[in-house]
Amino acid sequence: TGCRVCLTRNMSSSPPRLQGCMSAWIIDQYGSNGVLKYTEEITVPTISSATEVMIKVHAVSLNPLDVAMRGGYGAKLLKLRRDPLSVMDNDSEFPLILGRDLSGVVVDCGSGVTHFAPGDEVWAAVPPWKQGSLAEYVTLTEYEVSHKPKVLSHIEAASIPYVANTSLSALVNGGGLCRDSSSNKRVLITGGSGGVGTFAIQLLKAWGAHVTVTCSQNAVGLVRGLGADEVLDYTAGDVVEQLETMEKFDVVFDGVGGDTEEWAMGLLKPWSGAKYVTLVTPLLLNTDSMGLLDGTLNAGCSLQSKAIQNLLSSGVFYRWGFYAPDGPALDEVSKLVDAGKILPVVEAQFSFTQVPQAFQKLEKGHARGKTVVRVA
Ligand code: NDP
C-alpha cells in the first residue's frame, strides 16, 4: 500500500505533523477472538494538545485486561471516562484499539513537552480509556510516558509498563510500601508466576522485602530465579495450611482473587498496620451488570464493609489495588532495570500479523511472565 503517513505543514508557524492512515488491530463490536480485525485505515492519532507525545510503536505486550475488554468488560465505566459529558460527536467507542503496553520511539511532541524529543526511545502503559497500542502510532500525554531502559530491546521493554504501573500503584498506595520502607517487610504474593507477579517479586526484592510466593509446581524455578525467598506450590496439597505455619505477613498482594481474601486476612500480623491488597475487584463487573450508579455504589459498599469489619476484628487493612498511569514511576523502574535489578520475563512473542494468536495464548491462562507482539 506504500507510505500512508506523511509530514505536512499547514501554517507557516506550526510544526510539521504526521497525518494520514495507519495500520492497527481494532474491534467494531465486543465478542470472542473473531471480532479482532486488522485494518490500514485508522486515522493517525495526531498531537492535539501542548503536552502530548506521539510515539511510533515498536512492541506491545498483552494483559488479561485486553482479553476482558475485547469481550466488553468495563465498557460502561470506560465510556464514561472517555467522554464524561457525552460531548463527543461519535457516541460509540468503536473502532476500539486494544493493547495497553508499548515500547517505541517519539516522532512528534506538543509545544509544551519538556522531557521528550523526537527520536527518544520510550515506554508507557496506555490507560484503558484511551486508544490502545496495537497500532503503528499512539499519542499520550507526557506524564504517561517514560524513557525506556537502555539495556532492553523494545520487545523486552514492552513486557513491563502495565504490570509495573499496577504493582507500584497497588503496593505504594494500597500496601504502604516504597523503596525506603520495605526493608525486611514480609510480603506474600499470590499468583507469582504471571505478568504482575514476576514483576512484583523483583521490585519488592530490589526494595529489600522478604517475599513469599504461591504458584504452580512448574513455575517454582522461574519465581525462585527472580528472587522469591519462599515458594509454595498451590497445586500440591493445602497451601493455606502451609502458609499458616509461617511467620505472619505485613502485606498480602493478591493477583488471584476468588476465595483468597477469606484465608489471606488471617495470615496478616494483627494490630500492626498490615494490609491485604487485591487486584481482583468487582468494580467494573458491577458497573457492567448493574449500571454506573448502582454498580459503583454496590462496589463501594462492599469495599467499605469489608474494610471496617477487618479493621475492627483484627486491625488489618483491606484494600483494592488498581493500575494508574504514571510516567515518573516508570522512570524509577527504568533505573532498576538498567541496574540489573529487574529483568523482563517474556514468555512468548508474536508478529503483528499474529495478534489473534497472541490473544488465544493469553486466553489459555497459565502465564509465565508476558506475551509480546512485535509491531515494527
Ligand atoms: P496473568 O494471567 O499474567 O497471571 C496470573 C497467574 O496466576 C498465572 O501465572 C497463573 O498460573 C497464576 N495462578 C492462577 N491461579 C492461581 C492460584 N490459585 N494460586 C497461585 N497462582 C495462580 O495475570 P496478571 O499477573 O497480569 O494479573 C493478575 C490479576 O490481576 C488478573 O486477574 C488481572 O486481571 C488483575 N489485574 C488487575 C488490575 C487492576 O487495575 N485492578 C491491573 C492488572 C491486573 P497457573 O494458572 O498456571 O497457576
Side-chain angles (χ1 to χ4, degrees):
T1 55
C3 175
R4 288 158 290 109
V5 179
C6 55
L7 279 171
T8 59
R9 189 187 290 274
N10 297 328
M11 295 178 336
S12 56
S13 59
S14 59
R17 292 272 182 253
L18 286 157
Q19 288 189 339
C21 289
M22 64 175 186
S23 48
W25 282 88
I26 59 159
I27 58 171
D28 282 325
Q29 58 179 310
Y30 296 119
S32 54
N33 229 22
V35 298
L36 287 167
K37 284 204 299 201
Y38 175 77
T39 172
E40 299 186 345
E41 303 302 326
I42 290 290
T43 306
V44 168
T46 46
I47 303 273
S48 60
S49 87
T51 57
E52 280 182 340
V53 176
M54 184 173 168
I55 301 160
K56 180 164 175 54
V57 179
H58 282 241
V60 174
S61 80
L62 295 184
N63 292 277
L65 180 64
D66 291 304
V67 174
M69 279 179 68
R70 190 199 64 204
Y73 173 76
K76 286 193 178 141
L77 202 58
L78 293 173
K79 200 168 175 183
L80 179 75
R81 183 67 176 73
R82 280 181 204 113
D83 186 15
L85 302 175
S86 293
V87 292
M88 278 158 58
D89 296 342
N90 181 359
D91 187 37
S92 166
E93 62 270 45
F94 302 120
L96 185 66
I97 305 174
L98 302 172
R100 305 272 61 93
D101 292 289
L102 69 82
S103 180
V105 176
V106 173
V107 290
D108 198 4
C109 296
S111 57
V113 169
T114 52
H115 284 81
F116 302 95
D120 286 1
E121 292 197 322
V122 293
W123 61 350
V126 182
W129 51 90
K130 292 195 168 179
Q131 283 292 42
S133 52
L134 284 167
E136 271 182 281
Y137 296 94
V138 166
T139 296
L140 293 170
T141 63
E142 177 176 34
Y143 179 76
E144 292 159 340
V145 180
S146 158
H147 285 104
K148 131 186 186 301
K150 292 182 183 58
V151 298
L152 298 188
S153 66
H154 286 297
I155 295 279
E156 292 169 325
S159 69
I160 293 178
Y162 190 77
V163 294
N165 275 158
T166 299
S167 301
L168 277 159
S169 153
L171 290 170
V172 174
N173 302 324
L177 297 171
C178 67
R179 190 180 53 189
D180 302 323
S181 72
S182 304
S183 183
N184 299 320
K185 287 269 166 62
R186 288 180 53 76
V187 183
L188 169 65
I189 301 174
T190 64
S193 51
V196 171
T198 51
F199 175 83
I201 292 168
Q202 300 185 80
L203 178 75
L204 288 164
K205 286 313 296 173
W207 286 353
H210 181 280
V211 179
T212 301
V213 169
T214 65
C215 66
S216 300
Q217 197 268 330
N218 69 1
V220 170
L222 169 69
V223 300
R224 268 201 199 287
L226 297 172
D229 298 287
E230 311 269 357
V231 184
L232 302 180
D233 169 12
Y234 78 91
T235 62
D238 191 344
V239 76
V240 183
E241 223 168 73
Q242 293 177 63
L243 284 163
E244 282 171 348
T245 65
M246 299 173 78
E247 190 186 328
K248 290 204 183 300
F249 296 92
D250 296 288
V251 173
V252 174
F253 185 36
D254 180 14
V256 171
D259 69 354
T260 306
E261 65 186 47
E262 286 162 28
W263 48 263
M265 303 304 299
L267 302 174
L268 290 166
K269 294 177 183 170
W271 306 108
S272 62
K275 295 160 189 89
Y276 166 85
V277 187
T278 182
L279 292 178
V280 187
T281 83
L283 178 61
L284 294 183
L285 281 178
N286 278 8
T287 52
D288 286 339
S289 63
M290 300 176 200
L292 287 171
L293 190 61
D294 286 354
T296 311
L297 279 174
N298 183 289
C301 289
S302 150
L303 174 63
Q304 286 308 326
S305 80
K306 286 179 186 179
I308 290 168
Q309 193 186 327
N310 282 295
L311 198 56
L312 293 180
S313 65
S314 48
V316 296
F317 292 90
Y318 173 94
R319 290 178 175 168
W320 289 351
F322 292 102
Y323 152 84
D326 189 347
L330 290 179
D331 290 343
E332 292 305 308
V333 176
S334 200
K335 285 181 205 153
L336 290 172
V337 172
D338 277 334
K341 295 190 172 170
I342 291 179
L343 301 173
V345 185
V346 177
E347 180 189 13
Q349 289 184 39
F350 293 87
S351 68
F352 200 45
T353 57
Q354 294 173 313
V355 165
Q357 287 93 318
F359 271 74
Q360 270 165 4
K361 155 81 183 78
L362 228 74
E363 261 176 307
K364 286 191 187 129
H366 308 299
R368 300 288 176 262
K370 299 284 302 192
T371 292
V372 182
V373 175
R374 288 185 302 280
V375 179

